[in-house]
Amino acid sequence: MSLFRLDASIRGDQSVSRAVADTAEAAWIRTHPSGVVTRRDLVASPVPADAWSSAVMGSFTPEGQRTEDQRRIVALATQFVDELVAAEAYLFAVPLYNYGVSQHVKTWIDLILTDSRLAPGQEPLLAGRPAALVVTRGGGYGPGTPREGWDHATPYYRRFFGDVLGLRLHVSEVELTLAENTPAMESLRDLARRSLDAGHASADAHGELLAKHVLTTGAVR
């Protein structure tokens, strides 16, 4: 049984979302030692920016009449959805960038939605399967902060992974990730550390929960 992990941070080894997701993954492996982890790194292997338009046009074109580019992109969409279907649980490490969704994640989402298996109007293909969602934000966006309401990513991630894909979502959120290296945010560093500690604790619990769910229910196919 397998865990599918998606990463999208551009910060490499300095990425908080990757570090918190590592905690969730470690909990999964600790609880389910024989489990397999399949990874998709959208920064190391980004989805082409024009993939969505090629896939849309290809889906409306008879297979024998598709261009080479359309065939390649349709096959890529199929591969991505195959990765999701093959898993029993999911771990998504997704940051907030420029107050919105990471372009790498959005391009991947747009592409997988061109696959007929995820078409609207039918029972979600992955409905009921467990997923851990790790969301990180460089600043503070909570109630009473100057930028309350500026986080346009987390509601979208919740809506897509939870409502569109039908996953049973467990969310870990970490804020103020830029405080440690930003002089103007020095006064917020204690809050940032507490948020990070809480995020790791939450991710650890969620990784264990995912593994226990799979072990208890078996494959959800």
Side-chain angles (χ1 to χ4, degrees), residues 85-215:
V85 173
E88 281 75 36
Y90 307 87
L91 172 58
F92 303 105
V94 290
L96 166 78
Y97 286 150
N98 296 322
Y99 317 114
V101 178
S102 156
Q103 68 177 51
H104 294 92
V105 178
K106 186 60 166 63
T107 307
W108 175 81
I109 287 174
D110 286 341
L111 186 57
I112 66 173
L113 288 178
T114 65
D115 188 288
S116 61
R117 289 171 290 179
L118 296 182
Q122 58 185 7
E123 179 70 18
L125 185 65
L126 311 178
R129 302 187 193 186
L133 173 65
V134 175
V135 181
T136 54
R137 299 182 284 268
Y141 298 84
T145 62
R147 289 185 173 167
E148 178 183 356
W150 283 47
D151 174 7
H152 302 290
T154 305
Y156 177 90
Y157 291 138
R158 285 178 175 272
R159 182 71 69 187
F160 178 74
F161 292 115
D163 296 338
V164 176
L165 293 189
L167 297 173
R168 186 175 300 175
L169 210 55
H170 305 278
V171 184
S172 301
E173 301 181 46
V174 180
E175 286 205 324
L176 304 169
T177 64
L178 296 178
E180 200 64 37
N181 299 309
T182 305
M185 299 175 70
E186 184 176 2
S187 64
L188 299 172
R189 287 175 184 171
D190 284 343
L191 282 175
R193 294 186 190 106
R194 289 201 292 272
S195 179
L196 181 60
D197 289 345
H200 278 292
S202 174
D204 181 80
H206 293 162
E208 180 177 333
L209 189 64
L210 263 58
K212 287 182 176 178
H213 178 92
V214 170
L215 290 169

Side-chain angles (χ1 to χ4, degrees), residues 17 28 60 74 84 121-122 160:
S17 65
W28 158 274
F60 287 104
V74 168
L84 293 173
Q122 58 185 7
F160 178 74

Side-chain angles (χ1 to χ4, degrees), residues 29-41:
I29 294 172
R30 182 182 70 237
T31 309
H32 188 5
S34 62
V36 175
V37 180
T38 301
R39 296 176 178 83
R40 170 65 58 183
D41 190 327

